[in-house]
């Protein structure tokens, strides 16, 4: 079993001053807003957006520590989905989506139900570094599940998390699909994108399934 530890393979510290970070307008309603997704939002945002960029946030690690009784589980068998854990050495890869004009309120209204009401997540501002232009960081809104919410499950051995994921299904599909699509996204980001916690759970799932197929084949079976 791998022990919880700070992510070691992270991009170097940012050489750019905080003043270079782009922020939404603060006069009344924002005309544009960036929303950072690091879980199911990376492959299924389900809201209209004007632009999207792959990149990362520093100071956080991704953990399968949030329980899910709707999207990927049930009241009797909660699934495991990701949240962000504050970690000075951490780095979490994901996708930032830009919403503009009417898209802002529509996206926030939709995400309030999907992430806050049904998921137990709160909002937090993070600094997002686009993969292609890290010298131009952006302020983005992220949904984070904290230990204070009733669905929070907290840490567990990767083998136990894998067992729970294999057993759970919700209205959005099987919990295994969630895990494998996230792993697939990380592979597409390239070798610089590392997530030891995610990799350990995928490895644990592989050891539990008699014939663990490649990600593409596994998704077709779910």
């Amino acid at each position: 079993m791998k022990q919880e530890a700070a992510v070691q393979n992270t991009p170097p510290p940012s050489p750019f001053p905080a003043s270079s970070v782009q922020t939404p307008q603060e006069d009344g309603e924002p005309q544009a807003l960036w929303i950072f997704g690091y879980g199911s939002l990376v492959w299924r945002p389900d809201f209209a957006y004007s632009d999207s960029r792959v990149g990362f946030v520093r100071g956080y690690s991704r953990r399968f520590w949030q329980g899910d009784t709707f999207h990927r589980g049930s009241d009797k068998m909660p699934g495991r989905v990701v949240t962000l854990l504050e970690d000075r050495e951490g780095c979490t890869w994901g996708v930032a989506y830009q919403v503009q004009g009417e898209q802002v309120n529509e996206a926030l209204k939709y995400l309030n139900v999907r992430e806050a009401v049904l998921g137990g997540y709160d909002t937090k501002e993070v600094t997002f570094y686009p993969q292609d232009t890290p010298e131009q960081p952006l302020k983005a809104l992220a949904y984070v599940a904290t230990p204070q919410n009733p669905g929070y499950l907290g840490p567990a051995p990767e083998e136990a998390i894998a067992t729970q994921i294999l057993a759970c299904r919700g209205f959005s599909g099987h919990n295994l699909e969630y895990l494998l699509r996230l792993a697939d996204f990380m592979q597409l980001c390239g070798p610089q994108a590392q997530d030891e916690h995610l990799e350990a759970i995928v490895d644990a799932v592989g050891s539990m399934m008699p014939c663990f197929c490649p990600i593409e084949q596994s998704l077709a079976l779910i």
Side-chain angles (χ1 to χ4, degrees):
M1 180 188 74
K2 292 188 178 181
Q3 300 295 321
E4 287 298 329
V7 178
Q8 298 299 319
N9 298 318
T10 62
S14 173
F16 313 112
S19 60
S20 67
V21 176
Q22 299 177 15
T23 58
Q25 292 185 9
E26 298 179 354
D27 298 331
E29 293 295 324
Q31 298 302 307
L33 177 70
W34 288 91
I35 299 170
F36 176 64
Y38 57 93
S40 61
L41 287 179
V42 304
W43 73 83
R44 187 174 65 85
D46 279 354
F47 57 82
Y49 57 90
S50 302
D51 191 11
S52 66
R53 301 182 189 180
V54 173
F56 54 88
V57 298
R58 293 189 177 93
Y60 296 92
S61 291
R62 178 169 33 217
R63 293 290 182 267
F64 277 80
W65 288 3
Q66 175 67 3
D68 188 337
T69 60
F70 184 85
H71 297 292
R72 301 292 174 173
S74 64
D75 290 334
K76 293 184 178 180
M77 299 182 66
R80 284 261 183 176
V81 291
V82 293
T83 184
L84 293 180
L85 174 71
E86 289 191 11
D87 176 3
R88 288 185 61 187
E89 302 300 322
C91 178
T92 297
W93 286 75
V95 180
Y97 300 93
Q98 186 187 50
V99 288
Q100 297 179 321
E102 294 182 356
Q103 293 176 343
V104 176
N105 286 332
E106 292 173 358
L108 292 179
K109 185 182 299 184
Y110 167 72
L111 291 172
N112 179 60
V113 175
R114 172 174 166 174
E115 303 294 335
V117 176
L118 297 177
Y121 288 73
D122 293 326
T123 55
K124 189 167 190 175
E125 186 180 72
V126 296
T127 301
F128 173 79
Y129 297 85
Q131 183 178 28
D132 296 333
T133 56
E135 73 280 0
Q136 298 176 11
L138 309 164
K139 286 295 185 183
L141 185 72
Y143 288 81
V144 179
T146 67
Q148 287 69 45
N149 85 83
Y152 192 78
L153 298 178
E158 277 84 3
E159 291 84 355
I161 294 176
T163 299
Q164 188 171 352
I165 286 174
L166 284 171
C168 294
R169 176 187 291 273
F171 287 101
S172 295
H174 202 288
N175 206 175
L176 179 59
E177 178 197 16
Y178 180 98
L179 172 72
L180 296 181
R181 288 196 184 279
L182 190 53
D184 190 37
F185 164 76
M186 288 296 289
Q187 289 184 3
L188 294 175
C189 289
Q192 73 276 19
Q194 301 291 323
D195 190 326
E196 294 181 359
H197 177 68
L198 172 63
E199 293 170 4
I201 297 171
V202 172
D203 289 344
V205 165
S207 68
M208 294 175 187
M209 297 179 69
C211 298
F212 188 60
C213 307
I215 290 176
E216 296 80 2
Q217 297 180 31
S218 300
L219 289 171
L221 297 175
I222 297 174

